[in-house]
Amino acid sequence: MRRQKEGSQSHLNTEGINTKFLYLMHIHDSAFPIGTYTHSFGMETFIQEDLIRTKGDLFHFCQMYLHENVAYTDGIFVKESYQEEELAELIRLEKICDASKNAEETREASSMIGKQFVKAVLPVSDTPSLEEWYQLLQEKKVIAHFPIVYSLYAKDLAFDLYTTVLTFLYSSTIGLVHNAVRAIPLGQKAGIEVIHRLIPEMEKATVNVLNRDLSNLSNHAVGLELASMQHKYLSSRLFIS
Amino acid sequence: MDGKLDFYFALRKQKTIMKDVYYQPPLKASRGLYVDNPNDITVYLMESSGGLVAGDTNAYSVLLDKGTHVTLHPQAATKVYPAYNGNPSRQQVQIELGEQASLTWKREEVIPFAESEFHSHTTVNMKKNSRFYWEEILYPGREKRGERFTFDKCHTQLEVWMEDDCLVYDSLRFEPSHQDVKHFGVMGDYYYIASVWLIDKEIELDVEKWNHSSADHQISITRLRDAGYLVRFLSNDLPRIKKEMDQLGNQKLAVSV
């Protein structure tokens, strides 16, 4: 009897996790209103300079973005905030996250998306950490950068660290591909092909992130940083950043 | 060798003086000079060994009392020799700025030779009304010998805290054998990275002027959240970087006077 009960519980647990995965899929839907479709994080500058023209260029750009940028910056913030239990330390971590984003547009984009994310998921989710963060946001004690609030949400929903980092990297990269397909422009098929080629790269980048900590943060993708700084001076723009 | 240079600047009758200095070779300080005006003391930072050899550490500590104005001027670029024994070379800088104090650290140039490993960490603690200006240039190696990103590792980190707020947290970690350094999102065809940090709540720059791009020289500017600007360069034109850095230095003077 007891065994039967345990068995049925574990079945329920699995079902629970699988259903929960749908929540995660939902927030990665391109129609989910957190505004990622309005940000290119500097990519638009390169598109206008004709440096990203083909699906091959786009793949190499996103590969660089993943390995040389996100896996040395936001990926690490996702991991570190997932593992941080002390609220004061988490607030300090977000201050470092904010200060490490030199380019104003990229810094603003990260906090705009983060705020939109909190406002979108909070009314429909049971996420105590995010609830607490939202209180702090209203008191202007935090900024709600996307990697931090994403991590809090995924942890509250009991996703493991690997899944949390992997899906964050997925979200960061996929948004760029969708935007590039519109801005270059490329066909939908090219976009799908690029995303499929990027998925194994996301896995590699996640493994790298899990082996890194704050001491590994790096802004060495300086070309991207300058492109982001120059973005506001472009004569015509499709994206906010 | 472990070099050490500790400064304490204070006011005497409204004039900034070098009240205390302690040094341990190969680091040494010049006398205090009053170049631009009597309120601003300039000190040259000297290094007698000719460069950092694997395992060497140079540590600087700089303390500015309330109301002091100081310019520190590295006399030569920091040359980093190969880490044959597997030990990296290090530089540590710790800066404390009192109320209304200002510190300018002129052009910190780093040349990491082939197979070298260098780690530098600069930490600044400042007040809301103090000011900090930092210039740095990172070379790709001894380019006249054809060394371009042939070092093993070069990590530099600058962090600036204004009481509890983090204003700057900029790490550049280059490990060329593991990174796609040639991609245009990283270095592209450029060899030098240069940065000018102007941490000053009152400074206003003409941002259009510091934002242009050509095949061998790019410069762009961004506002930091709470105070001042970062001006960053990617370039193959070293004389032009230095010229524009000097122009930025003059702008800073024009604003702060």
Side-chain angles (χ1 to χ4, degrees), chain A:
Chain A
M1 184 67 192
R2 195 175 158 198
R3 201 176 295 154
Q4 200 178 7
K5 198 177 170 192
E6 275 173 5
S8 70
Q9 263 182 350
S10 77
H11 170 69
L12 277 176
N13 283 346
T14 320
E15 196 174 54
I17 288 167
N18 287 341
T19 313
K20 266 189 180 160
F21 207 79
L22 295 181
Y23 291 112
L24 212 49
M25 280 178 70
H26 175 54
I27 63 167
H28 292 293
D29 190 317
S30 61
F32 195 73
I34 57 168
T36 38
Y37 63 93
T38 59
H39 295 282
S40 86
F41 296 95
M43 177 181 70
E44 190 174 19
T45 309
F46 292 134
I47 292 176
Q48 288 203 11
E49 285 171 0
D50 235 12
L51 288 166
I52 309 173
R53 274 180 302 177
T54 64
K55 63 184 177 191
D57 297 339
L58 179 59
F59 170 75
H60 286 124
F61 173 78
C62 292
Q63 191 184 34
M64 178 286 299
Y65 183 75
L66 250 180
H67 292 299
E68 309 303 342
N69 182 270
V70 189
Y72 279 101
T73 56
D74 280 356
I76 295 176
F77 288 115
V78 171
K79 182 208 165 206
E80 291 292 305
S81 40
Y82 189 99
Q83 292 179 323
E84 187 55 69
E85 300 292 338
E86 295 290 322
L87 183 63
E89 286 302 311
L90 200 57
I91 293 173
R92 185 176 185 274
L93 185 69
E94 195 194 40
K95 286 181 178 183
I96 291 174
C97 172
D98 187 68
S100 71
K101 294 176 186 297
N102 293 323
E104 188 180 8
E105 280 202 353
T106 293
R107 186 169 64 234
E108 292 300 323
S110 169
S111 67
M112 277 161 79
I113 294 173
K115 276 178 198 150
Q116 286 291 101
F117 178 77
V118 176
K119 285 178 187 163
V121 298
L122 212 52
V124 291
S125 325
D126 182 19
T127 52
S129 315
L130 215 52
E131 194 88 49
E132 190 177 21
W133 204 255
Y134 185 63
Q135 285 300 323
L136 292 168
L137 177 66
Q138 290 189 312
E139 294 162 21
K140 295 194 168 25
K141 288 183 180 153
V142 299
I143 296 160
H145 275 290
F146 188 45
I148 313 286
V149 294
Y150 184 88
S151 189
L152 292 177
Y153 176 79
K155 194 177 173 183
D156 274 347
L157 259 64
F159 288 105
D160 59 46
L161 178 60
Y162 179 85
T163 309
T164 304
V165 173
L166 180 70
T167 51
F168 180 85
L169 297 187
Y170 171 82
S171 144
S172 309
T173 328
I174 228 79
L176 279 187
V177 176
H178 286 313
N179 292 344
V181 165
R182 285 187 289 139
I184 295 176
L186 288 173
Q188 290 298 340
K189 269 172 93 176
I192 294 168
E193 205 180 307
V194 170
I195 290 169
H196 273 250
R197 281 182 73 193
L198 282 170
I199 286 175
E201 302 294 327
M202 294 174 198
E203 192 182 355
K204 278 187 231 164
T206 303
V207 173
N208 287 336
V209 168
L210 294 183
N211 287 317
R212 289 177 184 159
D213 58 33
L214 269 194
S215 71
N216 300 101
L217 283 178
S218 177
N219 284 333
H220 65 278
V222 185
L224 182 68
E225 182 185 280
L226 287 189
S228 176
M229 291 182 190
Q230 287 158 2
H231 183 262
K232 70 198 284 185
Y233 305 106
L234 296 179
S235 50
S236 68
R237 281 170 290 166
L238 283 176
F239 304 104
I240 300 173
S241 76

Side-chain angles (χ1 to χ4, degrees), chain A residues 60 64 68 72 92 95 98-100 102 104 107 215-221 223-225 229-230 233, chain B residues 161 164-166 169-173 179-180 183-186 197 207 211 218 220 222-223 225 232:
Chain A
H60 286 124
M64 178 286 299
E68 309 303 342
Y72 279 101
R92 185 176 185 274
K95 286 181 178 183
D98 187 68
S100 71
N102 293 323
E104 188 180 8
R107 186 169 64 234
S215 71
N216 300 101
L217 283 178
S218 177
N219 284 333
H220 65 278
L224 182 68
E225 182 185 280
M229 291 182 190
Q230 287 158 2
Y233 305 106
Chain B
W161 292 80
D164 282 341
D165 289 328
C166 189
Y169 203 94
D170 188 47
S171 297
L172 293 173
R173 303 177 69 84
Q179 295 168 331
D180 191 3
H183 194 282
F184 54 77
V186 183
W197 298 87
V207 291
N211 190 72
Q218 268 197 65
S220 201
T222 192
R223 207 176 249 288
R225 182 180 291 283
R232 192 94 101 175

Side-chain angles (χ1 to χ4, degrees), chain B residues 13-25:
Chain B
K13 293 180 187 164
Q14 303 304 309
K15 185 178 173 184
T16 302
I17 57 157
M18 190 159 52
K19 195 167 179 185
D20 202 6
V21 60
Y22 167 82
Y23 65 86
Q24 189 174 294

